[in-house]
Amino acid sequence: MLNELVRILREGRRFVITTHKHPDGDGLGAMFALGRSLRIAGKEAVLLSEEPLTPPFDRMRGAETVLQNYTPNGEPVTLILLDCADFDRPGKVVESFKGDAEVVNIDHHFTNTFFGRYNWVEPECSSTGELIYRLLQHAGFPIDREIAENLFIAIQSDTGSFRYENATAAAFSTAAALVGTYGVRPSRCARLILDEYPCARLYLLRSALGTLETHLRGKIAMVTVSLDMYREAHASTSDSDTFVDYPRFLSGVEIGVLVRQTAEDAYKFSLRSNDFADVAALAKQFGGGGHKRAAGFDAQGRLADIKLLFLGAAAEMLEAHAA
Amino acid sequence: MLNELVRILREGRRFVITTHKHPDGDGLGAMFALGRSLRIAGKEAVLLSEEPLTPPFDRMRGAETVLQNYTPNGEPVTLILLDCADFDRPGKVVESFKGDAEVVNIDHHFTNTFFGRYNWVEPECSSTGELIYRLLQHAGFPIDREIAENLFIAIQSDTGSFRYENATAAAFSTAAALVGTYGVRPSRCARLILDEYPCARLYLLRSALGTLETHLRGKIAMVTVSLDMYREAHASTSDSDTFVDYPRFLSGVEIGVLVRQTAEDAYKFSLRSNDFADVAALAKQFGGGGHKRAAGFDAQGRLADIKLLFLGAAAEMLEAHAA
């Protein structure tokens, strides 16, 4: 597949690259890196994202080149989806391509549906960024400092700065190459994406920590952020992006849960597991998905009802494991 | 120097290894790794620490072998100080060795005083753990999974999980080797040292965040933890170990400060800088020390007075840089 992709990159003239909605450091880092490398190699590369980028991602180098829509003019184009488990993940921006374009699917989610004409899916790989590094290396396509930095950000953010289960030997050696060969500064990347935030985030964190609750004899810990809290702290949704780690890291916890209110009766559940629980399977029961150790779902209704259903399903999963 | 040390390890029979007071993951990881490797190689290795280890460090493999005191019986012994900038850092445990033992000094602090008979000091190195890895590799001394895990913990904890300035290419490639060759699991190590804590820590964090203050037009941010807060949260000092990152990571901040009350009129200041400020120099003005980006000092008196003095010195440093 890698050789096939190299051929496509070499022969293609016009590429449209996109990633999933609510993009993260991995999808965007991979997209900026691939887009810039193709452009330096003399190709046309259009980068698409359904919504304008929000902080901290709008600070990434390459963010200024992202478009919100693009209408193919009939000329042949290769559409590359990065970090997308299925074809719908990017949202409306890919609708106009249906049936038309040669679709390339590069991803590391094990739930990937192999929706492309060409599918390079490596669930064992730390991140889509690491795949793009391998692809560019293999193809002999250009990598400069900016590309290397975006690839590093992709790996760093998807591995929780090299401390989640996907912090593999390959992730570390790729990072070593990006730092050693291209002069990437990990502290600069961390500060760009993970480690710089407005006071509002700390105000929000303070109120969120006040909602900490534990269930199922401490196996599940949960933190909730309401619309009121966002409002009072003058914070945005992305300010709570990493809050799920607070309940997750408590001693004895297997599943950490962050509940974010998104509208009057709408909630987004983010799930993380520490040792054994397959939270992708758990999220799937509620129409969501993700990785074994990191997944999520959206739910409508009264929060108390949703929580009850969720805790029931989680209890079943934990009991099945204990048995 | 490396060859000299290899000779000392090979020829020596009896080693006493220690690290600084209030030990951290780096000093301890390096100590456990070196001690175990020497023992497997058939040597005698005594591990010393002035105080019994506290959580999370008492969970590290090898923690059970640490002694609080050891009286040399006159036979020749090699005393190895790890991660110690000067000979006093380990505290009373090394007093009985003064003048007697062959002292080996392995460290990565640029303030190191070269107090040993043999001094291997590499300020460019991420951690003392990375130095021990190089030493064991170079000497052909044994490295098993437990040793590799402790070396990984050393590097991981001293680099803030690979995101501080000392996350070098060598740190990443050492990590790649430890994970790839010896089967270290980064997520397990992170959870052992960085990412597992009691509820008390989150209660403490919540009250600490309530004290957030910024100074010098947002260039300095400070968080204070009082004895009352520790008491109310049922938390221990080590629960606040990473709190300095909260003020540090605020947008626009150059110096993040954590103030911990240690007694009625006694305070410990921890300083972190993001871009340019030399906090080791700043700490030195108050009798402390450390690295350029991470330093600290102890102070006695009324907190308001100490803060005023500190902010004055910090303002001078920041203004000198702006000029």
Side-chain angles (χ1 to χ4, degrees):
Chain A
M1 180 44 58
L2 197 47
N3 289 328
E4 196 70 13
L5 289 183
V6 168
R7 185 188 57 74
I8 291 168
L9 291 193
R10 288 213 181 115
E11 293 177 0
R13 294 279 325 131
R14 187 172 290 104
F15 297 87
V16 173
I17 312 175
T18 187
T19 181
H20 50 84
K21 273 186 291 189
H22 309 295
D24 55 24
D26 184 25
L28 290 172
M31 179 165 90
F32 296 148
L34 179 57
R36 182 172 164 89
S37 186
L38 288 172
R39 280 190 201 126
I40 295 176
K43 318 276 181 180
E44 203 178 292
V46 173
L47 310 188
L48 278 182
S49 167
E50 181 157 298
E51 301 281 335
L53 300 185
T54 51
F57 304 116
D58 57 352
R59 294 197 293 256
M60 290 173 77
R61 294 208 277 174
E64 68 286 355
T65 65
V66 173
L67 304 179
Q68 266 67 62
N69 49 60
Y70 171 80
T71 314
N73 62 4
E75 291 186 62
V77 64
T78 304
L79 175 65
I80 305 180
L81 275 74
L82 299 175
D83 206 38
C84 292
D86 61 61
F87 190 73
D88 298 329
R89 295 299 318 282
K92 292 194 303 287
V93 288
V94 294
E95 276 175 11
S96 53
F97 291 95
K98 266 182 182 151
D100 267 3
E102 185 170 61
V103 174
V104 174
N105 163 19
I106 302 178
D107 184 32
H108 72 129
H109 291 84
F110 81 101
T111 51
N112 192 288
T113 59
F114 287 74
F115 54 82
R117 188 171 309 166
Y118 303 95
N119 302 284
W120 188 30
V121 179
E122 300 267 5
E124 298 302 310
C125 190
S126 70
S127 54
T128 302
E130 189 187 322
L131 290 174
I132 296 301
Y133 176 74
R134 278 199 238 163
L135 176 61
L136 296 181
Q137 284 281 85
H138 198 80
F141 267 60
I143 299 182
D144 63 6
R145 167 97 73 109
E146 180 174 326
I147 291 169
E149 193 177 280
N150 276 315
L151 293 175
F152 186 89
I153 286 173
I155 301 172
Q156 185 181 45
S157 55
D158 238 35
T159 57
S161 203
F162 302 93
R163 63 178 210 267
Y164 296 157
E165 284 230 336
N166 58 344
T168 58
F172 280 108
S173 57
T174 305
L178 294 171
V179 172
T181 310
Y182 304 100
V184 169
R185 286 179 56 195
S187 60
R188 196 186 166 281
C189 296
R191 190 146 165 86
L192 200 68
I193 299 303
L194 305 170
D195 294 341
E196 184 175 344
Y197 37 72
C199 276
R201 178 174 306 187
L202 294 190
Y203 300 143
L204 189 69
L205 176 59
R206 186 167 148 75
S207 14
L209 289 177
T211 70
L212 178 67
E213 50 187 298
T214 57
H215 298 279
L216 303 173
R217 294 169 308 285
K219 286 280 165 219
I220 296 194
M222 191 183 285
V223 151
T224 307
V225 191
S226 68
L227 287 177
D228 281 346
M229 291 182 194
Y230 286 112
R231 221 174 285 129
E232 277 161 28
H234 298 284
S236 66
T237 319
S238 67
D239 282 315
S240 52
D241 273 351
T242 60
F243 286 9
V244 68
D245 280 343
Y246 291 95
R248 174 195 178 183
F249 289 156
L250 287 179
S251 303
V253 163
E254 174 55 24
I255 303 179
V257 184
L258 168 68
V259 182
R260 285 181 276 191
Q261 188 177 20
T262 53
E264 183 58 31
D265 273 318
Y267 298 89
K268 181 181 274 300
F269 277 59
S270 300
L271 317 177
R272 298 289 182 277
S273 65
N274 283 318
D275 271 333
F276 59 85
D278 181 352
V279 288
L282 194 55
K284 218 177 155 201
Q285 296 184 44
F286 297 89
H291 301 281
K292 203 175 164 195
R293 297 274 172 270
F297 63 90
D298 295 312
Q300 264 82 37
R302 277 186 57 234
L303 180 56
D305 299 337
I306 306 167
K307 268 163 73 169
L308 212 62
L309 282 173
F310 169 74
L311 289 171
E316 226 169 84
M317 167 168 281
L318 294 179
E319 274 155 25
H321 179 266
Chain B
M1 180 44 58
L2 197 47
N3 289 328
E4 197 70 13
L5 289 183
V6 168
R7 184 188 59 73
I8 291 168
L9 292 193
R10 288 214 182 114
E11 293 177 1
R13 294 279 326 132
R14 186 171 290 105
F15 297 87
V16 174
I17 312 175
T18 188
T19 181
H20 50 83
K21 272 186 291 189
H22 310 296
D24 55 25
D26 184 25
L28 290 172
M31 180 166 89
F32 297 148
L34 179 58
R36 182 172 164 88
S37 186
L38 288 172
R39 279 189 202 128
I40 295 176
K43 319 276 182 180
E44 203 178 293
V46 173
L47 310 188
L48 278 182
S49 167
E50 180 157 299
E51 301 281 334
L53 300 186
T54 51
F57 304 115
D58 57 352
R59 294 198 293 257
M60 290 173 77
R61 295 208 276 174
E64 68 286 357
T65 65
V66 173
L67 304 179
Q68 266 67 62
N69 48 61
Y70 171 80
T71 315
N73 62 3
E75 291 186 63
V77 64
T78 304
L79 175 65
I80 306 179
L81 275 73
L82 299 175
D83 206 38
C84 292
D86 60 61
F87 190 74
D88 298 329
R89 294 300 317 283
K92 292 194 302 287
V93 288
V94 294
E95 277 175 11
S96 52
F97 291 95
K98 267 183 181 151
D100 267 3
E102 185 170 62
V103 174
V104 174
N105 163 19
I106 302 178
D107 184 32
H108 72 129
H109 291 84
F110 81 100
T111 51
N112 192 288
T113 59
F114 287 74
F115 55 81
R117 188 170 310 165
Y118 303 95
N119 302 284
W120 189 30
V121 179
E122 301 267 4
E124 297 303 310
C125 190
S126 69
S127 54
T128 302
E130 189 187 322
L131 290 174
I132 297 301
Y133 176 74
R134 277 198 239 163
L135 176 61
L136 296 182
Q137 284 280 84
H138 198 79
F141 267 60
I143 299 182
D144 64 6
R145 167 97 73 107
E146 181 174 326
I147 291 169
E149 193 177 280
N150 276 316
L151 293 175
F152 186 89
I153 286 173
I155 301 172
Q156 185 182 44
S157 55
D158 238 35
T159 58
S161 203
F162 301 93
R163 63 178 211 267
Y164 295 157
E165 284 231 336
N166 58 344
T168 58
F172 280 109
S173 57
T174 305
L178 294 171
V179 173
T181 310
Y182 303 101
V184 169
R185 287 179 56 196
S187 60
R188 197 186 165 281
C189 296
R191 191 146 164 86
L192 200 69
I193 299 303
L194 305 170
D195 294 341
E196 184 175 344
Y197 38 72
C199 276
R201 179 174 304 187
L202 295 189
Y203 300 143
L204 188 69
L205 176 59
R206 187 168 147 76
S207 13
L209 290 176
T211 69
L212 179 67
E213 51 187 298
T214 58
H215 297 279
L216 303 173
R217 294 168 309 284
K219 286 280 165 219
I220 295 194
M222 191 183 285
V223 151
T224 307
V225 191
S226 67
L227 288 177
D228 281 346
M229 291 182 194
Y230 286 112
R231 221 174 284 131
E232 277 161 27
H234 298 284
S236 66
T237 319
S238 67
D239 282 315
S240 52
D241 274 350
T242 60
F243 286 9
V244 68
D245 280 343
Y246 291 95
R248 173 194 179 184
F249 289 156
L250 287 179
S251 303
V253 163
E254 174 55 24
I255 303 179
V257 184
L258 169 68
V259 182
R260 285 181 276 191
Q261 189 178 19
T262 52
E264 184 57 33
D265 273 318
Y267 299 89
K268 181 181 274 301
F269 277 59
S270 300
L271 317 177
R272 298 289 182 276
S273 65
N274 284 317
D275 272 333
F276 59 84
D278 181 351
V279 288
L282 194 55
K284 218 177 155 201
Q285 296 184 43
F286 297 89
H291 301 281
K292 203 176 164 195
R293 296 274 172 269
F297 64 89
D298 295 312
Q300 264 81 37
R302 278 187 56 234
L303 180 56
D305 299 336
I306 306 167
K307 269 162 73 169
L308 212 63
L309 281 173
F310 169 74
L311 288 171
E316 227 169 83
M317 167 169 282
L318 295 179
E319 273 155 26
H321 178 265

